Amino acid sequence: MDVNLTSYLMLDGNAKEAISFYSDVFEAKVESMELYKDWPQEFEENIPEGYEDKVIHAHLTLGSSELLLADIFPGQPYTPGSVITLMLDVKKVSDAEILFEKLSSNGDIIIPLSETSFSPAYAQVKDKFGIEWQIVTDFPEMN
């Protein structure tokens, strides 16, 4: 089986802000951002009031990875970040420090950035959108 895993974040009306935030944090390229008003056929030409400028689908490229985002559909229940944790595997401690600082800004630190038995710099944070992230740094290979 050839399967690619892509992270898809569903947000509660603040996807545009999240797109801006994540594109800055990861220096990501915003490949596309479509709004509900761009897809009226999905709602039989009757987009729910207040959803016209909400994000129905966005695509960011982070290096060789992808991140997809959208605002929840009208009437869907929303529990921020409770079902997914995204892992960021970096090579340099300095990169882990930058990611930790940016992601924890206005968020919550679950596990502070520190050395562990499996990583010279590991942390868990919940960002300001309620999304949980693990940051792990590889130990340098010994030659």
Side-chain angles (χ1 to χ4, degrees):
M1 179 185 307
D2 185 12
V3 177
N4 292 320
L5 178 63
T6 303
S7 301
Y8 204 117
L9 306 179
M10 298 301 292
L11 298 160
D12 192 22
N14 57 354
K16 283 183 186 175
E17 182 184 356
I19 291 162
S20 176
F21 177 73
Y22 294 134
S23 65
D24 177 57
V25 168
F26 300 113
E27 298 176 1
K29 180 180 178 188
V30 178
E31 301 289 344
S32 66
M33 182 177 69
E34 300 165 25
L35 306 177
Y36 275 77
K37 67 182 175 187
D38 299 328
W39 289 86
Q41 66 276 17
E42 297 298 319
F43 302 95
E44 298 175 357
E45 307 299 322
N46 189 19
I47 299 166
E49 188 175 335
Y51 275 81
E52 299 85 359
D53 291 317
K54 302 291 183 195
V55 176
I56 197 167
H57 178 75
H59 176 187
L60 281 68
T61 301
L62 299 74
S64 61
S65 300
E66 296 177 312
L67 179 63
L68 306 179
L69 302 100
D71 286 309
I72 59 169
F73 286 105
Q76 274 188 319
Y78 181 73
T79 305
S82 65
V83 226
I84 186 169
T85 298
L86 302 173
M87 180 174 276
L88 303 168
D89 190 354
V90 296
K91 303 294 180 206
K92 296 190 265 180
V93 170
S94 59
D95 290 341
E97 291 168 343
I98 290 167
L99 291 171
F100 177 77
E101 179 183 321
K102 289 183 175 183
L103 287 169
S104 63
S105 177
N106 296 315
D108 297 308
I109 296 171
I110 299 167
I111 298 175
L113 188 66
S114 59
E115 184 171 346
T116 66
S117 62
F118 57 88
S119 174
Y122 176 81
Q124 286 185 15
V125 300
K126 185 182 288 190
D127 70 22
K128 65 182 181 179
F129 300 104
I131 306 301
E132 291 187 21
W133 299 87
Q134 293 183 56
I135 302 166
V136 64
T137 308
D138 298 332
F139 276 110
E141 290 187 27
M142 301 292 222
N143 291 331

